[in-house]
Amino acid sequence: MNKYLSAALFFVLCCFTSQLQAQSQDQWIKAGDKAFTTGDYYAAYRYYGIAIEYDSSRTDLWYQYAESAREFDAYRSAEDAYQHVLMGETNSSYPMAAFHLAAVKQRLGKYQEARDLYEQYLEDNPDASPQYVRLAQRGMDDAVWAQGVMDNQKDLEIANVGANVNTAYSDFAPVLKGDMLYFSSLRYTYEKDTANPVRTYVQLLTSQMVGETAQTSVTLPFSEQFNKKGKHIGHSAFNKSNTTVYYTVCEYTDMTNIRCDIYRSNVSSSNAWSEPEKLDINLDDFTNTQPFVGFDAVNGNEYLFFVSDRDGGQGGLDIWSSMIEEDGSMTDPVNLGEAINTSADEVTPTWYSPTRTLYFSSTGYQTLGDFDVYQSRKNGESWDAPEHLGAPINSSFADIYYTRTPDGKNAYFASKRQVANAIYWTEEQEACCHDIYRSEVDMLELLALTYNRLDKTELLGATVELIEINEDGSERVVGMRTNYDGNDFLFPLDRGKKYRITAAKENFTGDIAYIDTNDPKYKDKTQIQQDLYLEPGVVLDVFTFMSIDSTELNGASVSLYEVGPNGEEVLVSTLDNETGNDFEFIVKRNKKYVIKGNRPGFFPTQTTLDLTDPEFENVNRVTRNLYFPQELEILAYDGEEGSPLPNVTLELYELTDDGFEVRIDSVTNNNSNDFLFPLNLNKKYRVKATRPGYLPIEEDFVFTPEEIEGSNGRVLREIRLNRKPPWDFLPLALYFDNDHPDPRTVRRTTTKKYIETNIAYYEKRDTFIKEFTQGMDDNEKFLTSQRFIDFFDREVLGGRLELVAFSEELLTYLRDGNSIKISIKGYASPRATSAYNRILSMRRISSVKNHFNSYNDGAFLTYMRSGQFSFEEEALGESTADLQKVSENLNDLKNSIYSIIASLERRVEITNIKIDEKTASKN
């Protein structure tokens, strides 16, 4: 069993009371070596310490003393001993000393010193194993992260629950039931235990809470009964109805290690516990411990969470769960998987039902030093990424058993933090025990009230659902409740989160509200009231048809959107009907709606419904029809090779009877050669096709009645594009990210190839849009975003595709024996100095030349070496930039980096090509 369970849970630091005879230094050393080998680090720590008193100049003893102290969590002693080692003349013989001292510094919260020591270890040990290199690098990152957490800790009051609960021994696993605080304590001895030093045992205790004050704790008689048999009894966990309690029964396997099983007992109305029943989920060869019962209000099931080192986990101690059936039996345990568990240890799971949140402690994620508390919200049947609870809940010492009180306003947890109000802690007994602490919770709750919109009376029997909206737009159900006896619904909220609240009731139209707890108006509030109004609804019947002949169309999907006051559309509901063409919705009076239909093989269609029109004032049922048009499918191919041709842009025009073009749509497909257009197959159309590196074409399409009848709504056409000659590509503009390639250097050349810089630049499209559109209203942001999308698709991506096509055409001409010289000019935006920008434009030219050097496995190299293919270069830097339009202000990132105007300056242009005596130039 691991050190955490044996030392932190069921091992007490006490004075070493054995009566030891005087021995020689060698005997103390041998005793220390033996204890260290068997994992008795406390004994080893004491033995080596005595040996050092004989001769404090021996670096090897200081190192063994440090290793034992570190393993025993005596971090201050370990810190002092490792420093002795590093200051000794033979410190080079102990390459791991700096690494372990860095880890000790982390445990003590000395993060800058820890980072420096990790860095020293890497510098002094260039041949260190990859494992320790990774660990040192992670340690450096963790130290920087931890300092950031400590610098931004929350303003929460953390209070030791006092000496009526905490002792000089480990007190842990707090659970509040009513006004009784149940907890476990390692303060008892077993009179028949012959171990030396005397071992202590865990029992279950309670303390009545009067306000925030814990009264004198009392040992549960049930626990004392077990203790008489030399057992540890700990971890009380009650089910939702408080009729069953789960707990652990553990035994020593040697001087310090224990193994546990989970039991349960029925709890009577007088709080008496029945005879214990060992659960079937226990495995004999593994530990099974730290049970906690959680009720999931969304699916109505109770789960037993517990910790085990059994096979089938992620490594170390893992959190597992079993569903509790109605008859009390357990489903087979399920590992919570890599979403929660790591290869290290995850322990002390607890559950807070109102927010479907699992709390646990871990050493596998980033921590401030030892076990830290994390939370993960259940999302459907999966888990959100665990979140660190920050400081001051977490410290550089072990923080475990974080448990929210039923009202959610407070939490209890156990910690080994070395603070002034810790009951156990002294400089001499630094490695000892956990105390129980109480923390306030920054509580915020939602009071939702449901009303009948027509007469504003309280509406009973509604169902209210609370949904959390994540930053990436994904959602998870936090809670859902139906109140048949009232109109009030209370939900806990988390600050910093966004929520959607929906109310529904049969034969009523629902209501939706949104709450962003980041809004400053909620800063000092503890409760947010949200009124929800449901209205007796109007039945909307929707029918779907084929537009070509109005026949019924099955298999469609119909979505109903409510139109807001500013024209925004909010999805109300989506219905599918695979076997029919009828759909039924409930809609609100005095509202406007958009009804949208989709069906595979047909283009989407939509219609509207305006219930603000007086003609609908007294109606209870309305009808709308959706007609689905057919599609034209166009496949684009290379005219010479016949291969599918992606990256084509098609423009579709309708041809009127008098020959005029009416533009219908423009589509670019960067992933395939397939295009779908909705249309009326009885009309005439013209298609214009363009693609980088190819000559544009246009074709007219007319469809015969026979073709329409047999098309099933979709007609197929093929178009073929031919490549254009190299001079038709010019001028060819190739765009770059700011200060790329090789930012912040003064090299005139680069090893990077243009294509790789272009790909990386194109992937930052959304970043450029986000940075440039900050502060814009929605309409301006939309229009600006479209311009950026056009620039990145047409110019950045299009330039890359043009370059590839241009390269292929050049090779064709070179293979025919022609000599070619191309002119390349490099440019830069004016953010840096003129000299720097000129060098930058040289690097950009270099990256384009690297493209030709490496293209098609070096196909150009033979021609370049022979002089058949050559370059004419000119690095212009910022010299052509219009400073009236392009910002050179280094602090104006928006306009000097992210604007399209600045982006257009960061380029290389191929402006001229000479093929034998034939010349094509920019002008």
Side-chain angles (χ1 to χ4, degrees):
M1 184 152 191
N2 76 354
K3 179 186 71 175
Y4 168 72
L5 284 177
S6 61
L9 291 181
F10 300 119
F11 185 76
V12 62
L13 174 63
C14 56
C15 295
F16 200 52
T17 57
S18 302
Q19 298 297 318
L20 301 172
Q21 299 176 348
Q23 302 181 69
S24 68
Q25 183 188 39
D26 286 343
Q27 289 174 309
W28 288 113
I29 294 172
K30 290 179 180 178
D33 292 344
K34 181 178 179 181
F36 191 92
T37 301
T38 60
D40 189 357
Y41 300 115
Y42 172 64
Y45 162 61
R46 294 302 302 268
Y47 294 148
Y48 289 131
I50 295 172
I52 287 174
E53 293 178 5
Y54 285 83
D55 183 359
S56 62
S57 65
R58 288 186 56 176
T59 304
D60 62 326
L61 291 182
W62 280 109
Y63 186 74
Q64 286 302 111
Y65 178 71
E67 291 283 272
S68 303
R70 175 177 61 83
E71 292 285 359
F72 183 59
D73 296 350
Y75 297 126
R76 297 181 191 277
S77 298
E79 178 185 34
D80 179 66
Y82 282 125
Q83 286 170 342
H84 270 83
V85 173
L86 292 176
M87 293 172 59
E89 294 181 358
T90 60
N91 58 11
S92 60
S93 299
Y94 305 94
M96 295 302 295
F99 178 90
H100 290 315
L101 179 56
V104 167
K105 296 282 190 182
Q106 276 184 286
R107 298 298 193 278
L108 294 173
K110 300 177 181 181
Y111 300 118
Q112 184 58 51
E113 294 179 49
R115 188 190 184 285
D116 293 342
L117 282 162
Y118 281 125
E119 189 171 24
Q120 176 186 333
Y121 167 76
L122 292 174
E123 291 176 357
D124 294 345
N125 298 275
D127 297 325
S129 70
Q131 175 189 0
Y132 281 101
V133 170
R134 287 194 300 270
L135 290 173
Q137 290 170 339
R138 175 180 172 178
M140 294 171 65
D141 294 339
D142 286 355
V144 173
W145 171 83
Q147 189 61 61
V149 172
M150 297 303 296
D151 291 343
N152 295 279
Q153 59 181 297
K154 302 172 185 176
D155 184 20
L156 295 176
E157 180 184 353
I158 307 292
N160 190 295
V161 298
N164 283 336
V165 169
N166 292 316
T167 64
Y169 301 83
S170 270
D171 303 287
F172 53 94
V175 175
L176 189 67
K177 177 189 171 191
D179 63 350
M180 301 300 293
L181 181 69
Y182 287 75
F183 66 98
S184 304
S185 182
L186 188 64
R187 65 180 73 169
Y188 298 93
T189 58
Y190 175 45
E191 60 184 12
K192 296 183 180 180
D193 190 353
T194 59
N196 188 14
V198 176
R199 299 181 298 193
T200 51
Y201 288 79
V202 175
Q203 287 192 32
L204 285 170
L205 295 90
T206 60
S207 173
Q208 186 175 19
M209 301 299 297
V210 178
E212 296 180 350
T213 303
Q215 306 304 300
T216 302
S217 56
V218 178
T219 307
L220 289 176
F222 183 88
S223 182
E224 287 182 327
Q225 174 185 346
F226 268 97
N227 183 248
K228 293 176 182 178
K229 302 176 182 178
K231 307 279 188 181
H232 299 275
I233 308 299
H235 304 109
S236 54
F238 295 87
N239 66 349
K240 183 174 182 291
S241 61
N242 290 322
T243 57
T244 304
V245 62
Y246 298 82
Y247 50 92
T248 53
V249 177
C250 310
E251 296 180 278
Y252 281 114
T253 59
D254 54 32
M255 277 295 296
T256 59
N257 291 300
I258 63 166
R259 197 196 73 80
C260 301
D261 286 316
I262 301 174
Y263 285 71
R264 70 177 168 201
S265 294
N266 295 324
V267 182
S268 69
S269 57
S270 61
N271 207 34
W273 294 13
S274 68
E275 284 298 311
E277 175 191 354
K278 185 177 179 180
L279 299 186
D280 292 338
I281 61 173
N282 293 297
L283 291 181
D284 291 341
D285 295 331
F286 304 93
T287 197
N288 317 273
T289 186
Q290 300 166 10
F292 197 92
V293 180
F295 175 71
D296 188 338
V298 172
N299 61 29
N301 296 321
E302 272 192 316
Y303 296 87
L304 179 69
F305 297 96
F306 66 96
V307 170
S308 179
D309 57 358
R310 64 186 61 195
D311 292 339
Q314 304 299 313
L317 291 164
D318 276 3
I319 299 173
W320 298 70
S321 73
S322 290
M323 190 176 76
I324 304 173
E325 304 282 12
E326 291 186 7
D327 61 1
S329 61
M330 301 278 181
T331 61
D332 290 338
V334 175
N335 188 281
L336 295 195
E338 60 184 10
I340 299 295
N341 294 312
T342 69
S343 59
D345 292 333
E346 279 68 46
V347 298
T348 64
T350 67
W351 172 265
Y352 185 58
S353 182
T355 57
R356 303 182 82 207
T357 301
L358 179 74
Y359 295 95
F360 62 96
S361 293
S362 173
T363 57
Y365 298 96
Q366 283 188 307
T367 73
L368 299 181
D370 206 318
F371 280 95
D372 274 6
V373 182
Y374 275 78
Q375 66 177 7
S376 175
R377 294 174 176 82
K378 194 174 183 183
N379 189 353
E381 293 303 315
S382 60
W383 299 94
D384 288 345
E387 301 174 11
H388 190 263
L389 258 61
I393 297 299
N394 290 308
S395 67
S396 65
F397 299 91
D399 302 293
I400 51 179
Y401 293 103
Y402 182 89
T403 309
R404 293 277 292 270
T405 56
D407 63 8
K409 296 179 180 179
N410 292 283
Y412 290 90
F413 65 98
S415 177
K416 291 180 69 175
R417 59 189 62 196
Q418 297 181 2
V419 293
N421 63 350
I423 300 297
Y424 81 89
W425 183 73
T426 65
E427 288 285 351
E428 293 75 24
Q429 289 184 291
E430 59 161 318
C432 184
C433 315
H434 288 84
D435 273 1
I436 295 174
Y437 292 83
R438 185 187 67 254
S439 169
E440 61 181 352
V441 175
D442 188 12
M443 186 70 178
L444 181 64
E445 61 184 8
L446 166 69
L447 175 61
L449 301 172
T450 53
Y451 298 93
N452 185 315
R453 182 179 294 277
L454 294 184
D455 56 15
K456 304 301 185 290
T457 58
E458 294 181 357
L459 184 64
L460 282 61
T463 297
V464 174
E465 186 175 52
L466 180 66
I467 299 167
E468 181 183 312
I469 304 172
N470 298 316
E471 291 184 1
D472 61 1
S474 61
E475 300 179 347
R476 73 175 190 91
V477 177
V478 175
M480 182 172 62
R481 297 171 190 167
T482 301
N483 189 348
Y484 294 105
D485 301 318
N487 76 320
D488 56 318
F489 303 80
L490 202 61
F491 297 93
L493 303 176
D494 285 333
R495 296 191 187 275
K497 301 290 186 180
K498 296 179 182 179
Y499 296 92
R500 183 172 77 247
I501 306 104
T502 65
K505 182 174 170 41
E506 188 175 1
N507 296 325
F508 280 74
T509 56
D511 196 9
I512 300 174
Y514 292 86
I515 290 178
D516 184 352
T517 61
N518 295 295
D519 193 317
K521 67 183 179 183
Y522 301 133
K523 180 179 180 182
D524 298 321
K525 288 184 176 291
T526 59
Q527 186 180 86
I528 300 173
Q529 179 175 320
Q530 180 64 55
D531 296 338
L532 299 164
Y533 294 90
L534 292 82
E535 182 177 346
V538 175
V539 178
L540 166 64
D541 291 311
V542 179
F543 298 94
T544 55
F545 302 94
M546 293 182 65
S547 62
I548 189 171
D549 57 7
S550 297
T551 57
E552 294 181 0
L553 182 62
N554 300 342
S557 174
V558 177
S559 297
L560 178 70
Y561 293 82
E562 183 179 318
V563 180
N566 299 316
E568 68 275 14
E569 297 178 358
V570 179
L571 178 64
V572 177
S573 178
T574 297
L575 299 177
D576 299 318
N577 191 343
E578 292 295 329
T579 59
N581 76 320
D582 55 320
F583 304 80
E584 183 178 285
F585 299 91
I586 302 296
V587 292
K588 302 176 184 177
R589 301 177 189 276
N590 299 311
K591 292 290 185 179
K592 296 180 179 180
Y593 294 91
V594 175
I595 305 136
K596 300 182 179 181
N598 289 277
R599 187 191 187 282
F602 288 79
F603 194 76
T605 186
Q606 67 180 51
T607 187
T608 61
L609 174 63
D610 184 359
L611 291 180
T612 65
D613 192 313
E615 71 171 290
F616 297 111
E617 182 176 357
N618 298 314
V619 302
N620 295 314
R621 199 174 199 105
V622 294
T623 299
R624 285 293 181 269
N625 297 328
L626 289 175
Y627 295 90
F628 288 78
Q630 299 106 337
E631 293 177 331
L632 167 63
E633 181 177 12
I634 300 177
L635 300 177
Y637 294 94
D638 183 289
E640 297 178 8
E641 299 178 357
S643 57
L645 194 60
N647 303 305
V648 173
T649 297
L650 291 188
E651 293 179 294
L652 181 66
Y653 296 85
E654 180 184 329
L655 296 178
T656 64
D657 292 338
D658 52 7
F660 288 101
E661 296 179 347
V662 179
R663 191 171 184 270
I664 297 176
D665 202 356
S666 177
V667 179
T668 300
N669 190 340
N670 292 323
N671 300 313
S672 72
N673 71 324
D674 190 22
F675 297 82
L676 289 176
F677 294 101
L679 42 69
N680 185 335
L681 296 178
N682 292 304
K683 296 184 178 182
K684 300 178 181 179
Y685 298 92
R686 175 169 295 157
V687 172
K688 298 180 181 181
T690 58
R691 185 198 189 277
Y694 286 77
L695 296 171
I697 65 167
E698 63 179 55
E699 293 186 18
D700 293 345
F701 295 149
V702 178
F703 310 103
T704 66
E706 293 77 17
E707 189 176 19
I708 295 173
E709 184 176 348
S711 68
N712 197 28
R714 179 181 295 179
V715 174
L716 177 65
R717 286 287 189 273
E718 296 180 359
I719 59 172
R720 300 181 183 275
L721 287 79
N722 296 314
R723 297 179 181 178
K724 60 186 178 182
W727 48 86
D728 280 356
F729 286 87
L730 305 185
L732 175 53
L734 307 171
Y735 292 94
F736 292 78
D737 194 1
N738 180 61
D739 200 19
H740 281 262
D742 303 336
R744 296 183 295 280
T745 65
V746 292
R747 294 191 295 271
R748 287 169 165 77
T749 61
T750 181
T751 60
K752 290 186 171 62
K753 298 180 282 292
Y754 174 72
I755 296 294
E756 63 182 286
T757 69
N758 178 282
I759 292 172
Y761 182 28
Y762 183 80
E763 289 176 348
K764 293 176 68 175
R765 182 185 72 179
D766 291 344
T767 300
F768 273 67
I769 294 173
K770 176 182 176 183
E771 296 295 334
F772 192 78
T773 58
Q774 283 186 5
M776 294 182 179
D777 60 41
D778 290 343
N779 184 56
E780 183 182 8
K781 182 179 292 187
F782 173 79
L783 295 175
T784 303
S785 297
Q786 292 304 308
R787 288 195 291 272
F788 271 88
I789 291 172
D790 286 343
F791 169 75
F792 272 88
D793 286 349
R794 294 179 183 273
E795 305 301 332
V796 179
L797 174 61
R800 183 210 311 168
L801 299 174
E802 287 273 272
L803 177 62
V804 173
F806 178 65
S807 302
E808 284 296 320
E809 291 304 304
L810 289 181
L811 283 174
T812 299
Y813 277 76
L814 289 169
R815 289 168 183 147
D816 289 341
N818 296 293
S819 294
I820 297 176
K821 176 182 286 188
I822 60 174
S823 299
I824 306 178
K825 295 182 179 181
Y827 302 87
S829 62
R831 266 182 59 82
T833 65
S834 297
Y836 182 88
N837 285 331
R838 185 171 179 275
I839 293 172
L840 175 57
S841 63
M842 292 179 183
R843 282 203 306 278
R844 288 173 174 166
I845 292 174
S846 175
S847 74
V848 175
K849 293 175 64 178
N850 290 342
H851 161 77
F852 288 107
N853 288 337
S854 61
Y855 183 77
N856 197 8
D857 296 327
F860 282 96
L861 290 177
T862 300
Y863 305 110
M864 295 169 68
R865 291 168 183 156
S866 68
Q868 189 179 341
F869 179 58
S870 59
F871 304 94
E872 188 175 68
E873 307 169 28
E874 186 175 7
L876 298 175
E878 68 180 61
S879 63
T880 63
D882 185 350
L883 299 183
Q884 298 299 317
K885 297 180 179 179
V886 185
S887 173
E888 58 181 337
N889 185 347
L890 296 178
N891 296 320
D892 184 10
L893 301 182
K894 177 177 179 178
N895 291 301
S896 66
I897 292 180
Y898 296 108
S899 69
I900 291 179
I901 293 176
S903 299
L904 288 168
E905 296 296 333
R906 300 190 293 266
R907 70 191 190 279
V908 163
E909 283 190 1
I910 301 176
T911 59
N912 192 64
I913 179 172
K914 295 181 180 179
I915 303 176
D916 291 334
E917 297 300 320
K918 186 173 183 178
T919 301
S921 66
K922 184 176 182 179
N923 297 317

